[in-house]
Amino acid sequence: MDGEVPGTQSGPMETFENLVRAEFTPKHTYLNTASNGLLPARTVTALDQAVRMRAEGMPLGPLYENVEAARASFARLAGVPAEWVATVASVAEYGGLIAASLPAGAEVLTAEGDFSSLVNPFHVRDDLKVRVVPLERLAESVRPGTALVAVSTVQSADGRLADLPAVREAARAHGARTYVDASQSAGWLPMEADADDFLAAVGFKWLLGPHGAAFCVVPQDFGGLSPLLAGWVAGEVPWESCYGPVEELAHSARRFDVSPSLFTYAGLRASLELIEEIGVDVVHAHDVALADRFRAGLAELGHTPVPAPGSAIVSVPGLGHRQGELSRAGIEVSDRAGNLRAAFHLHNTSADVDRLLDVLSA
């Protein structure tokens, strides 16, 4: 974990290793960020402070301020104005809004085995045509009449990366929109949210936040979406929109907000600050280097992972059954459809990789 990252405004340059060690103290070898990210120490502190505020009857204004700070932080990571970012509870909610905006008979193109929260909102509308193709054929499968291409940047099951530039080019050529789920990449893979029509990401994986929050990027013209879930927080002036119909919806993507989980955003704000402090480019280089180290070690053991160059997720066919054994040995990974899935993030070290390889070789 060599290398340095920019220091904070209040302190000198810190090494990546020192910063990470101050934030993470896992008791096990944790290689399962693709399921749930570890909470940094600053996030735990922020959560504790938020709970105490509620318990002590303190004014909650600062907790609502956390929502706006987290929105702005995610916007910077996504490369878009904060006015384009809505805060919701799940990716499926946003997908539901997109699905509801499509006319009857519209074709939605998706990848085989993509995550349910992304694709299911389109399947539950029986008047849409959902076409499913292999991930590698997604771009070439866009055709005249395709209304939307929905795909995860990184496949949850095995870590494969979508060829987003090719998908975007094909979509533009045929007049289709693109909807990207960045839940398995936001936090370690740089985002280009302004290159897609719609983007969503949960906060509890690679962004290292608590459960209960997701972000979605909405086009400046709102992309034909209707704020079907709008409550008082969707008003231009929320505290003046508490009773009766919301007279004036927010002029920004905030019109698609749902009432926030205040504890979650207290923690998520702190987690996002850590990601920004380190820098996604630094995290990306670190994560992928560890994943590549694991791939090289697997080759020496005679195992072939699912090809996913450049991914922080490594999936090994036929080894999923060893997940329980690894957990008992203090190594947390996932079993996905018979594959052993290991996910490497900023708190991991080369020693974690070597420990996993050692147990697998036994």
Side-chain angles (χ1 to χ4, degrees):
M1 295 182 63
D2 297 327
E4 293 187 346
V5 297
T8 64
Q9 293 179 349
S10 60
M13 295 288 286
E14 293 182 294
T15 65
F16 180 31
E17 181 175 359
N18 289 341
L19 180 58
V20 171
R21 290 295 160 261
E23 294 289 348
F24 297 98
T25 55
K27 295 187 180 297
H28 291 182
T29 300
Y30 192 80
L31 301 169
N32 204 20
T33 298
S35 292
N36 301 282
L38 292 183
L39 295 181
R42 66 179 70 184
T43 302
V44 175
T45 298
L47 287 167
D48 179 67
Q49 291 173 344
V51 172
R52 290 181 182 276
M53 288 178 66
R54 284 289 304 276
E56 295 169 2
M58 301 295 290
L60 300 184
L63 298 188
Y64 285 96
E65 292 171 6
N66 289 330
V67 180
E68 297 312 312
R71 187 197 316 272
S73 184
F74 181 83
R76 288 190 293 270
L77 292 173
V80 298
E83 291 75 21
W84 293 13
V85 177
T87 61
V88 296
S90 71
V91 168
E93 286 179 15
Y94 189 40
L97 294 183
I98 298 172
S101 74
L102 298 173
E107 178 180 279
V108 179
L109 183 65
T110 67
E112 288 179 349
D114 214 330
F115 201 72
S116 297
S117 295
L118 173 69
V119 301
N120 198 59
F122 305 104
H123 284 272
V124 297
R125 266 198 63 180
D126 56 12
D127 59 346
L128 296 179
K129 299 175 182 177
V130 182
R131 191 156 56 95
V132 183
V133 300
L135 179 66
E136 293 77 12
R137 293 180 50 200
L138 194 65
E140 69 184 61
S141 299
V142 183
R143 62 190 183 187
T146 300
L148 180 75
V149 184
V151 66
S152 296
T153 52
V154 177
Q155 293 295 295
S156 171
D158 52 33
R160 289 176 298 153
L161 276 67
D163 186 351
L164 291 181
V167 170
R168 292 164 181 152
E169 182 179 359
R172 284 193 296 268
H174 294 289
R177 292 181 180 268
T178 55
Y179 168 35
V180 167
D181 181 354
S183 295
Q184 289 292 3
S185 62
W188 71 267
L189 187 66
M191 286 184 282
E192 297 177 299
D194 58 345
D196 294 292
D197 296 284
F198 309 104
L199 179 142
V202 297
F204 67 87
K205 296 181 184 290
W206 305 87
L207 294 176
L208 305 173
H211 282 71
F215 298 100
C216 50
V217 177
V218 179
Q220 193 170 12
D221 65 358
F222 303 138
L225 302 184
S226 295
L228 301 175
L229 305 176
W232 70 279
V233 296
E236 176 63 14
V237 184
W239 292 107
E240 296 179 6
S241 303
C242 296
Y243 304 105
V246 176
E247 297 295 338
E248 183 181 11
L249 288 168
H251 303 162
S252 67
R254 198 166 48 74
R255 65 172 51 197
F256 301 103
D257 279 15
V258 298
S259 189
S261 174
L262 295 180
F263 292 164
T264 292
Y265 280 96
L268 186 53
R269 174 182 184 173
S271 298
L272 290 169
E273 287 173 351
L274 175 62
I275 296 291
E276 286 199 272
E277 186 176 345
I278 295 173
V280 173
D281 288 340
V282 173
V283 177
H284 174 262
H286 172 78
D287 291 8
V288 174
L290 292 179
D292 287 345
R293 182 185 184 97
F294 183 48
R295 292 185 181 95
L298 286 169
E300 294 180 4
L301 296 179
H303 299 296
T304 303
V306 174
S311 181
I313 298 173
V314 182
S315 183
V316 194
L319 291 184
H321 68 281
R322 300 192 64 178
Q323 182 269 331
E325 167 197 348
L326 290 164
S327 184
R328 289 189 292 274
I331 302 173
E332 297 304 323
V333 294
S334 290
D335 176 4
R336 290 294 182 268
N339 298 343
L340 182 147
R341 187 187 68 182
F344 302 90
H345 206 13
L346 74 170
H347 58 272
N348 292 123
T349 68
S350 57
D352 294 335
V353 179
D354 296 343
R355 174 158 169 72
L356 174 56
L357 290 167
D358 286 344
V359 175
L360 288 176
S361 68

